[in-house]
């Protein structure tokens, strides 16, 4: 099994300097996708961790991590039991909780369906580039940052920009109504960090047509979707920030 740099540091208690001494494979993306990615073999990481921490030191670190995780689980169980007691004493709270859970599940289900075929985007603002076409591809959820897996791309006119999607930004996740991703774009040897915000919504091309809604229901098809959002490439050249609306490419 192979791990990325972030996974290697977390799982084996290693620093960036430590990883520079570990055998690795380098993955390069296409033009402008940002820096190369490194992957490491577990056996090599284990050897590096033992060399740094010693057998006993590594065992202590792993035991401490396991204890932290157990304590976290215990706190979660205690919180769940307290919540259950409160809900049992107040049926109205239970009903509200169920409604929120249904809503959250629908948001997550829609967000996960962003993965797959490309989305054709139309820039809606600023006005001087409105109507320009772009493309969004999400190859995995959450995006891993692997070159070529997930990206947003506009190759036309003043809105020309690109972002290789390196994962969620901050604490954002597929459970959020608006997902926020971090992007990278290498221009003239300099790597720029950008931000992509996306909301997945019911497709507005069918919402107002009862015939299409009925046809979709009869065929038991998935809910048609669209996306809206904003992209900031991080590059101060041309139109750096633009808003968009998009539909799945057929």
């Amino acid at each position: 099994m192979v791990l990325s740099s972030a996974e290697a540091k977390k799982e084996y208690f290693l620093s960036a300097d430590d990883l520079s001494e570990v055998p690795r494979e380098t993955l390069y993306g296409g033009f402008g996708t940002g820096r190369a990615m490194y992957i490491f073999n577990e056996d090599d990481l284990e050897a590096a961790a033992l060399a740094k921490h010693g057998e006993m030191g590594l065992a202590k670190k792993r035991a401490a991590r396991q204890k932290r995780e157990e304590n976290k689980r215990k706190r979660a169980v205690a919180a769940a039991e307290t919540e259950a007691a409160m809900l049992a004493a107040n049926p109205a709270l239970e009903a509200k909780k169920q409604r929120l859970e249904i809503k959250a599940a629908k948001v997550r289900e829609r967000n996960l369906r962003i993965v797959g075929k490309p989305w054709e985007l139309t820039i809606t603002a600023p006005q001087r580039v409105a109507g320009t076409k772009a493309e969004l591809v999400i190859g995995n959820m959450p995006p891993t940052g692997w070159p070529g897996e997930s990206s947003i791309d506009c190759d036309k006119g003043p809105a020309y920009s690109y972002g290789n999607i390196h994962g969620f930004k901050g604490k954002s996740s597929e459970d959020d109504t608006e997902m926020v991703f971090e992007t990278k774009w290498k221009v003239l040897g300099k790597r720029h960090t950008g931000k992509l915000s996306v909301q997945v919504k019911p497709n507005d091309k069918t919402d107002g047509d009862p015939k299409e809604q009925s046809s979709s229901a009869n065929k038991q098809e998935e809910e048609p979707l669209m996306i809206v959002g904003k992209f900031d490439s991080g590059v101060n050249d041309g139109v750096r920030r633009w808003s968009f609306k998009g539909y799945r490419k057929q």
Side-chain angles (χ1 to χ4, degrees):
M1 183 176 177
V2 295
L3 285 79
S4 67
S5 297
E7 293 168 332
K9 285 187 268 190
K10 179 180 178 182
E11 294 299 320
Y12 290 91
F13 311 99
L14 298 171
S15 67
D17 288 340
D18 297 327
L19 292 182
S20 67
E21 303 297 324
V22 178
R24 65 194 181 190
E25 181 179 348
T26 306
L27 298 180
Y28 294 97
F31 176 77
T33 59
R35 67 180 179 184
M37 290 193 67
Y38 305 120
I39 56 175
F40 301 85
N41 185 281
E42 282 190 309
D43 291 339
D44 294 328
L45 292 170
E46 181 75 16
L50 287 170
K52 178 176 183 177
H53 305 293
E55 186 173 352
M56 184 174 295
L58 183 58
K60 286 182 177 180
K61 284 184 173 294
R62 286 174 169 163
R65 178 168 61 192
Q66 183 177 1
K67 186 175 182 179
R68 288 194 300 272
E69 291 173 349
E70 289 175 354
N71 289 336
K72 184 178 179 180
R73 284 193 292 269
K74 288 177 182 179
R75 291 194 297 270
V77 169
E81 290 174 346
T82 300
E83 181 184 34
M86 291 175 59
L87 295 174
N90 191 333
L93 283 179
E94 174 64 25
K96 180 179 180 181
K97 179 174 181 288
Q98 290 179 355
R99 290 194 299 271
L100 291 174
E101 288 176 345
I102 292 171
K103 182 178 179 180
K106 174 59 71 174
V107 168
R108 180 180 175 83
E109 184 267 334
R110 286 173 177 161
N111 285 345
L112 291 176
R113 285 179 54 203
I114 199 173
V115 175
K117 290 183 180 179
W119 295 83
E120 183 178 52
L121 310 180
T122 301
I123 295 178
T124 57
Q127 185 60 39
R128 72 186 182 101
V129 292
T132 304
K133 299 298 183 181
E135 183 179 88
L136 172 68
V137 178
I138 304 288
N140 196 53
M141 185 62 81
T144 64
W146 291 82
E149 176 202 83
S150 304
S151 63
I152 183 167
D153 184 16
C154 178
D155 60 0
K156 301 174 180 67
Y160 179 85
S161 50
Y162 177 84
N164 189 47
I165 302 174
H166 277 233
F168 284 112
K169 184 175 179 64
K171 295 183 178 180
S172 185
S173 76
E174 57 266 39
D175 294 323
D176 296 339
T177 302
E178 180 178 70
M179 297 182 287
V180 183
F181 302 97
E182 183 176 86
T183 67
K184 303 290 183 181
W185 186 20
K186 192 172 185 179
V187 180
L188 299 176
K190 182 178 180 181
R191 193 168 64 125
H192 300 264
T193 299
K195 184 174 77 170
L196 169 67
S197 303
V198 183
Q199 295 183 50
V200 185
K201 298 185 172 186
N203 190 323
D204 62 2
K205 289 184 177 180
T206 60
D207 282 355
D209 190 337
K211 291 182 179 179
E212 288 195 32
Q213 291 177 340
S214 175
S215 174
S216 178
N218 290 336
K219 294 178 182 178
Q220 294 185 332
E221 295 176 349
E222 290 184 317
E223 175 190 34
L225 300 176
M226 61 176 286
I227 57 176
V228 296
K230 297 173 289 186
F231 177 51
D232 179 348
S233 69
V235 177
N236 291 316
D237 186 20
V239 179
R240 170 174 169 168
R241 302 176 183 87
W242 39 268
S243 301
F244 61 83
K245 182 178 186 179
Y247 302 92
R248 184 79 79 180
K249 281 190 173 181
Q250 299 302 316

